[in-house]
Each structure stands twice: as C-alpha cells, then as structure tokens.
Amino acid sequence: MKQCISAVTLLVEDYDAAISFYCDRVGFELVEDKALSLDKRWVLVAPPGSKETRILLAKADGDVQLRGVGHQTGGRVSFFLQTDDFYRDYERMRANSVVFLETPREEAYGTVAVFQDLYGNKWDLIAFA
C-alpha cells in the first residue's frame, strides 16, 4: 500500500494575494484554481517539481479562522521547503522581497534559514547535507 499527504491547508485572508506571494515571490506553481461558489475557491500551489504534496490556500471564513491566519502553529516554523540548491533559491527569494528572519546557517543536517510568508507564518528554506 502507498499513501501520501496530498495537501496541507494554509489559511489566508485573500486568494489572489496569497497566489501572488507563493507563485511570484517564492517561486511555486499554481496547480489549480477552481471556483466552488461565489466566495470559495479550490486553490492549490506547489514547489516546482513537487508531485505529491501541495498547499491548499483556504480563505479564512469567520472570526475564528481569521484569528488563525499567520498563527496556525503558534509561532513555530510551519513548513519546510527543501531545495537542491540553497543559495540559488535564497538569493532569488530575497531578490523577490521575501523576508528572511535570519541569515543562513550551517547545521549538522544542512543549510537553513527561516523566512516568513505575507501573513507571518514561518518557513524553513532548507538544503539537507
């Protein structure tokens, strides 16, 4: 039997702003953008070459979900973006105004730096050793 995680939900305030950030600034691809109703869309983004796991950009609905935007993991790193060339992606993302919260550091497991998305969610950009 084979299983995989096909999508992880990320609460956002605005579909188009989130698509712009992840696709134009981080470098993800827009996998799908389908209207479900007047207010809801099915929006999937993924890193280039990613075949299984995608991010479902879900527009927050109501006060409880709006309060969760940017705080889904209580201030911890939420996601880990693995790359095969850390400095290529780090420099490209910085040139696209992605905010890094630290300078790159070398750890026993590889090169890593924390960045934040447009809502403040923390991500690791990481290249494993």
Side-chain angles (χ1 to χ4, degrees), residues 9-90:
T9 300
L10 179 63
L11 290 171
V12 300
E13 291 177 359
D14 180 82
Y15 291 116
D16 294 321
I19 291 168
S20 177
F21 177 81
Y22 285 104
C23 294
D24 299 337
R25 294 171 60 187
V26 176
F28 285 9
E29 296 172 346
L30 180 61
V31 175
E32 190 172 357
D33 185 355
K34 184 184 305 180
L36 301 176
S37 70
L38 290 176
D39 297 334
K40 294 282 184 191
R41 290 158 54 185
W42 180 260
V43 178
L44 293 170
V45 297
S50 180
K51 300 292 184 212
E52 293 180 333
T53 306
R54 282 127 164 83
I55 302 290
L56 174 67
L57 302 176
K59 186 175 177 183
D61 185 13
D63 290 340
V64 172
Q65 289 183 15
L66 277 170
R67 285 193 301 274
V69 172
H71 307 285
Q72 289 183 199
T73 57
R76 298 209 41 149
V77 170
S78 303
F79 301 98
F80 299 81
L81 178 57
Q82 183 178 342
T83 178
D84 62 354
D85 186 331
F86 180 89
Y87 286 100
R88 173 199 65 210
D89 293 338
Y90 174 76

Side-chain angles (χ1 to χ4, degrees), residues 75-80 86 90 93 98-105 109 111-117 120-126:
R76 298 209 41 149
V77 170
S78 303
F79 301 98
F80 299 81
F86 180 89
Y90 174 76
M93 290 168 67
V98 173
V99 174
F100 279 84
L101 302 178
E102 62 183 0
T103 57
R105 64 188 195 288
Y109 52 83
T111 307
V112 64
V114 177
F115 69 94
Q116 66 184 19
D117 70 12
N121 293 300
K122 292 180 183 174
W123 288 69
D124 270 0
L125 176 65
I126 188 166

